[in-house]
Amino acid sequence: MAEQVTQARSTRSGPGRVLIAVYAVFAVSAAGRSLVQLGTKADEAPFPYVLSAIAAAVYVAATVALARSTRRSRQVAWSAVLVELVGVLVVGTLSVVQEDWFPDDTVWSRYGAGYGWLPLVLPFAGVAWLLHTRRAAATTRPAAQHDPADGGSTESAPPR
Amino acid sequence: MLEPLSITLTIAALALAAVVVGYVVIDRRPDRTLLAALTLLEAGLVAQCGIGIWQLVGDSVEVSAVTFVGYLIGALVVVPLTAVWAVGEPTRSGTAVLVVGLLVVPVLVLRLEQIWDAGG
């Protein structure tokens, strides 16, 4: 069997599928917004617009890396998700403390409040999923039984 | 913007999202009925795109054309793209992917209204 391929649980299977869908939505919307901002009015608010572009790049990287789900892309996904976490916390704080630096909003302004706080939740979900799939990889090796379906089926069974 | 269509699309997308959540809860795969409903919603989104571009060209409104058309196209592709991504995962997680796409539709429709009103 293709043992080396199934060493780590795929980040694109199970709940990861939903996570990637949400990341893709943010990748497309942040990239689109950023292109319009930098393309039509870059000089109006360069600082937030550059931050928007960085956020867009991070979302695109996270989406592609999680969806590719190779060993190499796992590292890229880790970097993207951690940069995203730091970004939303730092930019979120700056947007509250230094309001005059932000004549226009970025995705991460006020911790993503303009996007239903999802930009704040998303990196935590990403870290949790990467940790979960890593642990699944460690436990599947001795058992040699890799369940391609939703791994939570036995966990979520009611107690009685 | 054509307000009745926007309201219909918003309600339809939210209702469908609720139905699909029900599918996820009872661990049921998308069936023909759901597919038909999704197709109907997509037809409405196609109509919205056509009418939106028609109005943009026809009226002399100060609407940011790039942003407006961007949102129209986004609303056009989000349901088919999430459907394709959902089909690749034959578990309840795959079904849940549809919820993501369906919840994006009302957001895009709302943003379209805001952009249109800001320009009008």
Side-chain angles (χ1 to χ4, degrees), chain A residues 12-18 20-22 25 33 36 40 67 148-150 156, chain B residues 64 66-67 78 82 84-89 91-94 96-97 100 104:
Chain A
R12 61 181 285 168
S13 69
R17 208 81 180 173
V18 181
I20 294 166
V22 178
V25 169
R33 184 190 176 128
V36 169
T40 60
D150 194 335
S156 61
Chain B
S64 166
V66 180
T67 312
V78 66
T82 43
V84 168
W85 187 239
V87 165
E89 172 72 30
T91 65
R92 61 165 56 168
S93 293
V97 168
V100 177
V104 172

Side-chain angles (χ1 to χ4, degrees), chain A residues 46-68:
Chain A
F47 181 60
Y49 292 167
V50 166
L51 286 178
S52 281
I54 294 170
V58 169
Y59 285 126
V60 171
T63 307
V64 174
L66 286 169
R68 279 180 54 89

Side-chain angles (χ1 to χ4, degrees), chain A:
Chain A
M1 293 287 284
E3 193 58 56
Q4 67 273 40
V5 182
T6 51
Q7 259 183 6
R9 182 178 172 184
S10 174
T11 49
R12 61 181 285 168
S13 69
R17 208 81 180 173
V18 181
L19 185 68
I20 294 166
V22 178
Y23 262 109
V25 169
F26 272 89
V28 171
S29 57
R33 184 190 176 128
S34 159
L35 284 176
V36 169
Q37 285 176 338
L38 288 175
T40 60
K41 46 181 182 178
D43 45 344
E44 274 181 33
F47 181 60
Y49 292 167
V50 166
L51 286 178
S52 281
I54 294 170
V58 169
Y59 285 126
V60 171
T63 307
V64 174
L66 286 169
R68 279 180 54 89
S69 191
T70 62
R71 200 186 219 185
R72 178 88 185 88
S73 75
R74 234 185 137 73
Q75 297 167 341
V76 178
W78 265 114
S79 319
V81 168
L82 290 177
V83 170
E84 183 197 352
L85 180 59
V86 173
V88 72
L89 293 177
V90 171
V91 175
T93 307
L94 279 178
S95 67
V96 175
V97 184
Q98 296 284 352
E99 247 178 277
D100 48 324
W101 290 6
F102 293 85
D104 203 348
D105 269 351
T106 78
V107 189
W108 291 336
S109 289
R110 290 169 290 116
Y111 306 104
Y115 290 80
W117 305 100
L118 271 176
L120 184 60
V121 178
L122 212 46
F124 287 100
V127 167
W129 181 239
L130 283 167
L131 283 175
H132 178 81
T133 49
R134 183 168 70 180
R135 219 177 300 136
T139 49
T140 45
R141 203 179 300 162
Q145 192 154 63
H146 183 255
D147 182 12
D150 194 335
S153 52
T154 48
E155 289 282 304
S156 61
R160 62 174 70 202

